[in-house]
Coordinates of all heavy atoms in Angstrom, one line a residue:
M1 N -21.0 24.4 -21.1 CA -20.5 23.4 -20.2 C -19.2 24.0 -19.6 O -18.5 24.7 -20.2 CB -20.1 22.2 -21.0 CG -21.3 21.3 -21.4 SD -21.1 19.6 -21.5 CE -19.9 19.4 -22.8
A2 N -19.1 23.6 -18.3 CA -17.9 24.1 -17.6 C -16.7 23.2 -18.0 O -16.8 22.0 -18.2 CB -18.2 23.9 -16.1
K3 N -15.6 23.9 -18.0 CA -14.3 23.2 -18.4 C -13.8 22.4 -17.1 O -13.8 22.9 -16.0 CB -13.3 24.2 -18.7 CG -12.0 23.7 -19.2 CD -11.1 24.7 -19.7 CE -9.7 24.2 -20.1 NZ -8.8 25.2 -20.5
Q4 N -13.5 21.1 -17.3 CA -13.0 20.3 -16.2 C -11.6 20.8 -15.8 O -10.8 21.0 -16.7 CB -13.0 18.8 -16.6 CG -14.4 18.2 -16.6 CD -14.3 16.8 -16.9 OE1 -13.3 16.2 -17.3 NE2 -15.4 16.1 -16.6
K5 N -11.3 20.7 -14.5 CA -10.0 21.0 -14.0 C -9.0 19.8 -14.3 O -9.4 18.6 -14.1 CB -10.1 21.2 -12.5 CG -8.8 21.6 -11.8 CD -9.0 21.7 -10.4 CE -7.6 21.7 -9.7 NZ -7.8 21.6 -8.2
A6 N -7.8 20.1 -14.8 CA -6.9 19.0 -15.1 C -6.4 18.4 -13.8 O -6.2 19.1 -12.8 CB -5.7 19.6 -15.8
K7 N -6.3 17.1 -13.8 CA -5.8 16.4 -12.6 C -4.3 16.4 -12.5 O -3.6 16.3 -13.4 CB -6.3 15.0 -12.6 CG -7.8 14.8 -12.5 CD -8.3 13.4 -12.3 CE -9.8 13.3 -12.1 NZ -10.2 12.0 -11.7
T8 N -3.9 16.6 -11.2 CA -2.4 16.6 -11.0 C -2.0 15.1 -11.0 O -2.8 14.2 -10.8 CB -2.1 17.2 -9.6 OG1 -2.7 16.4 -8.6 CG2 -2.6 18.6 -9.6
P9 N -0.7 14.9 -11.1 CA -0.2 13.5 -11.1 C -0.5 12.8 -9.7 O -0.7 11.6 -9.7 CB 1.3 13.7 -11.2 CG 1.5 14.9 -12.0 CD 0.3 15.8 -11.5
L10 N -0.5 13.6 -8.6 CA -0.8 12.9 -7.3 C -2.3 12.5 -7.3 O -2.6 11.4 -6.7 CB -0.5 13.9 -6.2 CG -0.5 13.4 -4.8 CD1 0.5 12.3 -4.7 CD2 -0.2 14.5 -3.8
E11 N -3.2 13.3 -7.9 CA -4.6 12.9 -7.9 C -4.8 11.6 -8.8 O -5.6 10.7 -8.5 CB -5.5 14.0 -8.5 CG -5.6 15.2 -7.5 CD -6.3 16.4 -8.1 OE1 -6.2 16.6 -9.3 OE2 -7.0 17.0 -7.3
K12 N -4.0 11.6 -9.9 CA -4.1 10.4 -10.8 C -3.6 9.2 -10.1 O -4.2 8.1 -10.2 CB -3.3 10.6 -12.1 CG -3.9 11.7 -13.0 CD -3.0 11.8 -14.2 CE -3.5 12.9 -15.2 NZ -2.7 13.1 -16.3
L13 N -2.5 9.3 -9.3 CA -2.0 8.2 -8.6 C -3.0 7.7 -7.5 O -3.2 6.5 -7.3 CB -0.7 8.5 -7.9 CG 0.0 7.4 -7.0 CD1 0.4 6.2 -7.9 CD2 1.2 8.0 -6.3
H14 N -3.6 8.7 -6.8 CA -4.6 8.4 -5.8 C -5.8 7.6 -6.4 O -6.2 6.6 -5.8 CB -5.1 9.6 -5.1 CG -6.2 9.4 -4.1 ND1 -5.9 8.9 -2.9 CD2 -7.5 9.6 -4.2 CE1 -7.1 8.8 -2.2 NE2 -8.1 9.2 -3.0
N15 N -6.3 8.0 -7.6 CA -7.4 7.4 -8.2 C -7.0 5.9 -8.7 O -7.8 5.0 -8.6 CB -7.9 8.2 -9.4 CG -8.6 9.4 -8.9 OD1 -9.1 9.5 -7.8 ND2 -8.7 10.5 -9.8
W16 N -5.7 5.8 -9.2 CA -5.3 4.5 -9.7 C -5.1 3.6 -8.5 O -5.3 2.4 -8.6 CB -4.0 4.7 -10.5 CG -3.5 3.4 -10.9 CD1 -3.9 2.7 -12.1 CD2 -2.5 2.5 -10.4 NE1 -3.3 1.4 -12.2 CE2 -2.4 1.4 -11.2 CE3 -1.7 2.7 -9.3 CZ2 -1.5 0.3 -10.9 CZ3 -0.8 1.6 -9.0 CH2 -0.7 0.5 -9.8
H17 N -4.6 4.1 -7.4 CA -4.4 3.2 -6.2 C -5.7 2.5 -5.8 O -5.7 1.4 -5.3 CB -3.9 4.1 -5.0 CG -3.7 3.3 -3.8 ND1 -4.4 3.6 -2.6 CD2 -3.0 2.2 -3.4 CE1 -4.1 2.8 -1.7 NE2 -3.3 1.9 -2.1
H18 N -6.9 3.1 -6.0 CA -8.1 2.5 -5.6 C -8.7 1.6 -6.7 O -9.9 1.3 -6.7 CB -9.1 3.7 -5.2 CG -8.7 4.4 -4.0 ND1 -8.8 3.9 -2.8 CD2 -8.1 5.6 -3.8 CE1 -8.4 4.7 -1.9 NE2 -7.9 5.8 -2.5
T19 N -7.9 1.1 -7.6 CA -8.2 0.0 -8.5 C -7.7 -1.3 -7.9 O -6.8 -1.3 -7.1 CB -7.7 0.3 -9.9 OG1 -6.3 0.2 -9.9 CG2 -8.2 1.6 -10.4
K20 N -8.2 -2.4 -8.5 CA -7.6 -3.7 -7.9 C -6.2 -3.9 -8.3 O -5.4 -4.5 -7.4 CB -8.5 -4.9 -8.5 CG -8.6 -5.0 -9.9 CD -9.5 -6.2 -10.3 CE -9.8 -6.2 -11.7 NZ -10.6 -7.2 -12.2
H21 N -5.7 -3.4 -9.4 CA -4.3 -3.5 -9.7 C -3.4 -2.6 -8.8 O -2.3 -2.9 -8.4 CB -4.0 -3.1 -11.2 CG -4.6 -4.1 -12.1 ND1 -5.7 -3.9 -12.8 CD2 -4.2 -5.4 -12.5 CE1 -6.0 -4.9 -13.6 NE2 -5.1 -5.9 -13.4
G22 N -4.0 -1.4 -8.5 CA -3.3 -0.5 -7.5 C -3.2 -1.1 -6.1 O -2.1 -1.0 -5.5
Y23 N -4.3 -1.7 -5.7 CA -4.3 -2.3 -4.4 C -3.2 -3.4 -4.3 O -2.5 -3.6 -3.4 CB -5.6 -2.9 -4.0 CG -6.6 -1.8 -3.6 CD1 -8.0 -1.9 -4.0 CD2 -6.3 -0.8 -2.7 CE1 -8.9 -1.0 -3.6 CE2 -7.2 0.1 -2.3 CZ -8.5 0.0 -2.8 OH -9.5 1.0 -2.4
L24 N -3.2 -4.2 -5.4 CA -2.2 -5.4 -5.5 C -0.8 -4.9 -5.5 O 0.0 -5.3 -4.6 CB -2.5 -6.2 -6.7 CG -1.5 -7.4 -6.9 CD1 -1.7 -8.4 -5.8 CD2 -1.8 -8.0 -8.2
L25 N -0.5 -3.9 -6.3 CA 0.9 -3.3 -6.3 C 1.3 -2.7 -5.0 O 2.4 -3.0 -4.5 CB 1.0 -2.4 -7.5 CG 2.4 -1.8 -7.6 CD1 3.4 -2.9 -8.2 CD2 2.4 -0.6 -8.5
F26 N 0.5 -1.9 -4.5 CA 0.8 -1.2 -3.2 C 0.9 -2.3 -2.1 O 1.8 -2.2 -1.2 CB -0.2 -0.2 -2.8 CG 0.1 1.1 -3.5 CD1 -0.3 1.4 -4.8 CD2 0.7 2.2 -2.8 CE1 0.0 2.6 -5.4 CE2 1.0 3.4 -3.4 CZ 0.6 3.6 -4.7
G27 N 0.0 -3.3 -2.1 CA 0.1 -4.3 -1.1 C 1.4 -5.1 -1.1 O 2.0 -5.3 0.0
V28 N 1.7 -5.6 -2.3 CA 3.0 -6.3 -2.4 C 4.2 -5.4 -2.1 O 5.1 -5.9 -1.4 CB 3.1 -6.9 -3.9 CG1 4.5 -7.5 -4.1 CG2 2.0 -8.0 -4.1
A29 N 4.2 -4.2 -2.5 CA 5.3 -3.3 -2.2 C 5.4 -3.1 -0.7 O 6.6 -3.1 -0.1 CB 5.1 -2.0 -2.9
E30 N 4.3 -2.9 0.0 CA 4.3 -2.7 1.5 C 4.8 -4.0 2.2 O 5.5 -3.9 3.2 CB 3.0 -2.3 2.0 CG 2.6 -0.8 1.7 CD 1.3 -0.4 2.2 OE1 0.4 -1.1 2.1 OE2 1.3 0.7 2.8
L31 N 4.4 -5.1 1.7 CA 4.9 -6.4 2.3 C 6.4 -6.6 2.1 O 7.1 -7.0 3.0 CB 4.1 -7.6 1.8 CG 2.6 -7.6 2.2 CD1 1.9 -8.8 1.5 CD2 2.5 -7.8 3.7
L32 N 6.9 -6.2 1.0 CA 8.3 -6.3 0.7 C 9.1 -5.3 1.6 O 10.2 -5.6 2.2 CB 8.7 -6.0 -0.7 CG 8.3 -7.2 -1.7 CD1 8.5 -6.7 -3.1 CD2 9.0 -8.4 -1.4
I33 N 8.5 -4.1 1.8 CA 9.2 -3.1 2.7 C 9.1 -3.6 4.1 O 10.1 -3.5 4.9 CB 8.5 -1.7 2.5 CG1 8.8 -1.1 1.1 CG2 8.9 -0.8 3.6 CD1 8.0 0.1 0.8
A34 N 8.0 -4.2 4.5 CA 7.9 -4.8 5.9 C 8.9 -5.8 6.1 O 9.6 -5.9 7.1 CB 6.5 -5.3 6.1
Y35 N 9.1 -6.7 5.1 CA 10.1 -7.8 5.2 C 11.5 -7.2 5.4 O 12.3 -7.6 6.2 CB 10.1 -8.6 4.0 CG 11.2 -9.7 3.9 CD1 11.0 -10.9 4.7 CD2 12.3 -9.5 3.1 CE1 12.0 -11.8 4.6 CE2 13.3 -10.5 3.1 CZ 13.2 -11.6 3.9 OH 14.1 -12.6 3.9
G36 N 11.8 -6.1 4.6 CA 13.1 -5.5 4.8 C 13.3 -4.9 6.2 O 14.4 -5.0 6.8
F37 N 12.3 -4.2 6.7 CA 12.5 -3.6 8.0 C 12.5 -4.7 9.1 O 13.3 -4.5 10.1 CB 11.3 -2.6 8.3 CG 11.6 -1.2 7.9 CD1 10.9 -0.7 6.7 CD2 12.4 -0.4 8.5 CE1 11.2 0.6 6.3 CE2 12.7 0.9 8.1 CZ 12.1 1.4 7.0
V38 N 11.8 -5.7 9.0 CA 11.9 -6.8 10.1 C 13.2 -7.5 10.0 O 13.8 -7.8 11.0 CB 10.6 -7.7 9.9 CG1 10.8 -9.0 10.8 CG2 9.3 -7.0 10.3
S39 N 13.7 -7.7 8.8 CA 15.0 -8.4 8.7 C 16.1 -7.5 9.3 O 17.0 -7.9 10.0 CB 15.3 -8.6 7.2 OG 14.4 -9.5 6.7
W40 N 16.0 -6.2 9.0 CA 16.9 -5.2 9.6 C 16.7 -5.2 11.1 O 17.7 -5.1 11.8 CB 16.7 -3.9 9.0 CG 17.6 -2.8 9.4 CD1 18.9 -2.9 9.9 CD2 17.3 -1.4 9.4 NE1 19.4 -1.7 10.1 CE2 18.5 -0.7 9.9 CE3 16.2 -0.6 9.1 CZ2 18.6 0.7 10.0 CZ3 16.3 0.8 9.3 CH2 17.5 1.4 9.7
A41 N 15.5 -5.2 11.6 CA 15.3 -5.3 13.1 C 15.9 -6.5 13.7 O 16.4 -6.4 14.9 CB 13.8 -5.2 13.3
I42 N 15.8 -7.6 13.1 CA 16.4 -8.8 13.6 C 17.9 -8.7 13.7 O 18.6 -9.1 14.7 CB 16.0 -10.1 12.8 CG1 14.6 -10.4 13.0 CG2 16.9 -11.3 13.1 CD1 14.0 -11.4 12.0
D43 N 18.5 -8.0 12.7 CA 20.0 -7.8 12.7 C 20.4 -6.8 13.8 O 21.4 -7.0 14.5 CB 20.5 -7.3 11.4 CG 20.4 -8.4 10.3 OD1 20.4 -9.6 10.7 OD2 20.5 -8.1 9.1
N44 N 19.7 -5.7 14.0 CA 20.2 -4.6 14.9 C 19.5 -4.6 16.2 O 19.9 -4.0 17.2 CB 20.2 -3.3 14.2 CG 18.8 -2.7 14.0 OD1 17.9 -3.3 14.5 ND2 18.7 -1.6 13.3
G45 N 18.3 -5.3 16.3 CA 17.6 -5.4 17.5 C 16.9 -4.1 18.1 O 16.5 -4.1 19.2
Q46 N 16.7 -3.1 17.2 CA 16.1 -1.9 17.7 C 14.6 -2.0 17.5 O 14.1 -2.4 16.5 CB 16.6 -0.7 16.9 CG 18.1 -0.4 17.2 CD 18.6 0.8 16.5 OE1 17.9 1.4 15.6 NE2 19.8 1.2 16.8
L47 N 13.9 -1.6 18.5 CA 12.5 -1.7 18.6 C 11.7 -0.9 17.5 O 10.7 -1.3 17.0 CB 12.0 -1.3 20.0 CG 10.5 -1.6 20.3 CD1 10.3 -3.1 20.2 CD2 10.2 -1.2 21.7
W48 N 12.3 0.3 17.2 CA 11.6 1.2 16.3 C 11.6 0.6 14.8 O 10.6 0.7 14.1 CB 12.2 2.6 16.2 CG 13.6 2.6 15.6 CD1 14.7 2.5 16.4 CD2 14.0 2.9 14.3 NE1 15.9 2.6 15.5 CE2 15.4 2.8 14.2 CE3 13.2 3.1 13.1 CZ2 16.1 3.0 13.0 CZ3 14.0 3.2 11.9 CH2 15.3 3.2 11.9
T49 N 12.5 -0.3 14.5 CA 12.5 -1.0 13.2 C 11.4 -2.1 13.2 O 10.8 -2.3 12.1 CB 13.9 -1.5 12.8 OG1 14.4 -2.3 13.9 CG2 14.9 -0.4 12.5
Y50 N 11.2 -2.7 14.3 CA 10.1 -3.7 14.4 C 8.8 -3.0 14.2 O 7.9 -3.4 13.5 CB 10.1 -4.4 15.8 CG 11.1 -5.5 15.9 CD1 12.2 -5.4 16.7 CD2 10.9 -6.7 15.2 CE1 13.1 -6.4 16.9 CE2 11.8 -7.8 15.4 CZ 12.9 -7.6 16.2 OH 13.8 -8.6 16.4
F51 N 8.7 -1.8 14.8 CA 7.4 -1.1 14.7 C 7.1 -0.7 13.3 O 6.0 -0.8 12.8 CB 7.5 0.1 15.7 CG 6.2 1.0 15.5 CD1 5.0 0.6 16.1 CD2 6.3 2.3 14.9 CE1 3.9 1.4 16.0 CE2 5.2 3.1 14.8 CZ 4.0 2.6 15.4
I52 N 8.1 -0.2 12.6 CA 7.9 0.3 11.2 C 7.6 -0.9 10.3 O 6.7 -0.9 9.5 CB 9.2 1.0 10.7 CG1 9.3 2.3 11.4 CG2 9.1 1.2 9.2 CD1 10.6 3.1 11.1
G53 N 8.2 -2.1 10.6 CA 7.9 -3.3 9.9 C 6.5 -3.8 10.1 O 5.8 -4.1 9.1
V54 N 6.0 -3.7 11.3 CA 4.6 -4.0 11.6 C 3.6 -3.1 10.9 O 2.6 -3.5 10.4 CB 4.4 -4.1 13.1 CG1 2.9 -4.2 13.5 CG2 5.1 -5.3 13.8
V55 N 3.9 -1.8 10.9 CA 3.0 -0.8 10.3 C 2.9 -1.1 8.8 O 1.8 -1.1 8.2 CB 3.5 0.6 10.5 CG1 2.8 1.6 9.6 CG2 3.4 1.0 12.0
F56 N 4.1 -1.3 8.1 CA 4.0 -1.7 6.7 C 3.4 -3.0 6.4 O 2.6 -3.2 5.5 CB 5.4 -1.7 6.1 CG 5.9 -0.3 5.7 CD1 6.9 0.3 6.4 CD2 5.4 0.3 4.5 CE1 7.3 1.6 6.0 CE2 5.8 1.5 4.1 CZ 6.8 2.2 4.9
F57 N 3.5 -4.0 7.3 CA 2.8 -5.2 7.2 C 1.3 -5.1 7.3 O 0.6 -5.7 6.4 CB 3.3 -6.3 8.3 CG 2.7 -7.6 8.2 CD1 3.1 -8.5 7.2 CD2 1.7 -7.9 9.1 CE1 2.5 -9.7 7.1 CE2 1.1 -9.2 9.0 CZ 1.5 -10.1 8.0
A58 N 0.9 -4.3 8.2 CA -0.6 -4.1 8.4 C -1.1 -3.4 7.1 O -2.2 -3.7 6.6 CB -0.8 -3.2 9.6
G59 N -0.4 -2.4 6.6 CA -0.8 -1.7 5.4 C -0.8 -2.6 4.2 O -1.8 -2.5 3.4
G60 N 0.1 -3.5 4.1 CA 0.1 -4.5 3.0 C -1.1 -5.4 3.0 O -1.7 -5.7 2.1
I61 N -1.3 -5.9 4.2 CA -2.4 -6.9 4.4 C -3.8 -6.1 4.1 O -4.7 -6.7 3.5 CB -2.5 -7.4 5.9 CG1 -1.2 -8.3 6.0 CG2 -3.8 -8.2 6.1 CD1 -1.2 -9.5 5.1
Q62 N -3.9 -4.9 4.5 CA -5.1 -4.1 4.3 C -5.3 -3.9 2.8 O -6.4 -4.0 2.3 CB -5.0 -2.7 5.0 CG -6.2 -1.9 4.8 CD -6.1 -0.5 5.5 OE1 -4.9 0.0 5.6 NE2 -7.1 0.1 5.9
N63 N -4.2 -3.6 2.0 CA -4.4 -3.4 0.6 C -4.7 -4.8 -0.1 O -5.5 -4.8 -1.0 CB -3.1 -2.9 0.0 CG -3.1 -1.3 0.1 OD1 -4.1 -0.7 -0.1 ND2 -1.9 -0.9 0.5
I64 N -4.2 -5.8 0.3 CA -4.5 -7.2 -0.3 C -5.9 -7.5 0.0 O -6.7 -8.0 -0.8 CB -3.5 -8.3 0.2 CG1 -2.1 -8.0 -0.1 CG2 -4.0 -9.6 -0.2 CD1 -1.8 -8.0 -1.6
Y65 N -6.4 -7.2 1.2 CA -7.8 -7.5 1.6 C -8.7 -6.6 0.8 O -9.7 -7.1 0.3 CB -8.0 -7.1 3.1 CG -9.4 -7.1 3.5 CD1 -10.1 -8.3 3.7 CD2 -10.1 -5.9 3.7 CE1 -11.5 -8.3 4.1 CE2 -11.5 -5.9 4.1 CZ -12.1 -7.1 4.2 OH -13.4 -7.1 4.6
R66 N -8.4 -5.4 0.5 CA -9.3 -4.5 -0.3 C -9.3 -5.0 -1.7 O -10.3 -4.9 -2.4 CB -8.8 -3.1 -0.3 CG -9.0 -2.4 1.0 CD -8.5 -1.0 1.0 NE -8.8 -0.3 2.2 CZ -8.3 0.9 2.6 NH1 -7.5 1.5 1.8 NH2 -8.6 1.5 3.7
M67 N -8.1 -5.5 -2.3 CA -8.1 -6.0 -3.6 C -9.0 -7.2 -3.7 O -9.8 -7.4 -4.7 CB -6.7 -6.3 -4.0 CG -6.5 -6.7 -5.4 SD -5.8 -8.4 -5.9 CE -5.4 -9.1 -4.4
T68 N -8.9 -8.1 -2.8 CA -9.7 -9.3 -2.8 C -11.1 -9.0 -2.7 O -12.0 -9.6 -3.4 CB -9.3 -10.3 -1.6 OG1 -7.9 -10.5 -1.7 CG2 -10.0 -11.6 -1.6
K69 N -11.5 -8.1 -1.8 CA -12.9 -7.7 -1.6 C -13.4 -7.1 -2.9 O -14.6 -7.4 -3.3 CB -13.0 -6.7 -0.5 CG -14.4 -6.3 -0.1 CD -14.2 -5.4 1.1 CE -15.3 -4.4 1.2 NZ -15.2 -3.5 2.4
R70 N -12.6 -6.3 -3.6 CA -13.1 -5.7 -4.9 C -13.2 -6.7 -6.0 O -14.2 -6.7 -6.8 CB -12.1 -4.6 -5.3 CG -12.6 -3.9 -6.6 CD -11.7 -2.7 -6.9 NE -12.1 -1.7 -5.9 CZ -12.4 -0.5 -6.3 NH1 -12.3 -0.1 -7.5 NH2 -12.7 0.4 -5.3
M71 N -12.3 -7.7 -6.0 CA -12.4 -8.8 -7.0 C -13.7 -9.6 -6.8 O -14.3 -10.1 -7.7 CB -11.2 -9.6 -7.0 CG -10.0 -8.9 -7.6 SD -8.5 -10.0 -7.6 CE -9.0 -11.2 -8.8
L72 N -14.0 -9.9 -5.5 CA -15.2 -10.7 -5.2 C -16.4 -10.0 -5.5 O -17.4 -10.6 -5.9 CB -15.1 -11.2 -3.8 CG -14.0 -12.2 -3.5 CD1 -14.0 -12.5 -1.9 CD2 -14.2 -13.5 -4.2
A73 N -16.4 -8.7 -5.4 CA -17.6 -7.9 -5.6 C -17.9 -7.8 -7.1 O -19.1 -7.7 -7.6 CB -17.5 -6.5 -5.1
E74 N -16.8 -7.8 -7.9 CA -17.0 -7.7 -9.4 C -17.5 -9.0 -10.0 O -18.0 -9.0 -11.1 CB -15.7 -7.3 -10.1 CG -15.3 -5.8 -9.8 CD -14.1 -5.4 -10.4 OE1 -13.4 -6.2 -11.1 OE2 -13.7 -4.2 -10.2
G75 N -17.2 -10.1 -9.3 CA -17.7 -11.4 -9.8 C -16.8 -12.1 -10.6 O -16.3 -12.4 -11.5

């Protein structure tokens, strides 16, 4: 039998991220980061902070959607 290659910590994180708990944690974290950037954007009025907030918001919604889809598929 061939010896399996040891996984790096980054590969382990990537594999864990694609679980329902990983999607939930990353989704909530991205939504909190988005909230921080949009709050900062309201204070300073710079357009690039709004853009970063929208990007993190979209990523958070995408992760929450994937988690919900995985939970519904498992039954």
Side-chain angles (χ1 to χ4, degrees):
M1 285 209 300
K3 186 176 179 183
Q4 286 185 341
K5 180 183 166 189
K7 291 188 176 187
T8 64
L10 192 58
E11 289 173 328
K12 289 180 183 177
L13 178 65
H14 176 76
N15 290 336
W16 181 78
H17 174 240
H18 292 286
T19 65
K20 58 184 172 181
H21 292 104
Y23 285 138
L24 178 64
L25 181 71
F26 276 81
V28 169
E30 284 181 317
L31 290 174
L32 289 173
I33 292 169
Y35 176 77
F37 271 106
V38 171
S39 294
W40 184 26
I42 291 169
D43 288 342
N44 68 11
Q46 293 183 352
L47 191 57
W48 67 272
T49 53
Y50 281 108
F51 177 72
I52 293 173
V54 168
V55 168
F56 275 106
F57 181 75
I61 294 299
Q62 182 181 28
N63 278 315
I64 298 296
Y65 171 76
R66 288 178 178 171
M67 186 241 355
T68 306
K69 187 171 148 183
R70 181 168 289 230
M71 287 180 68
L72 291 174
E74 290 178 3

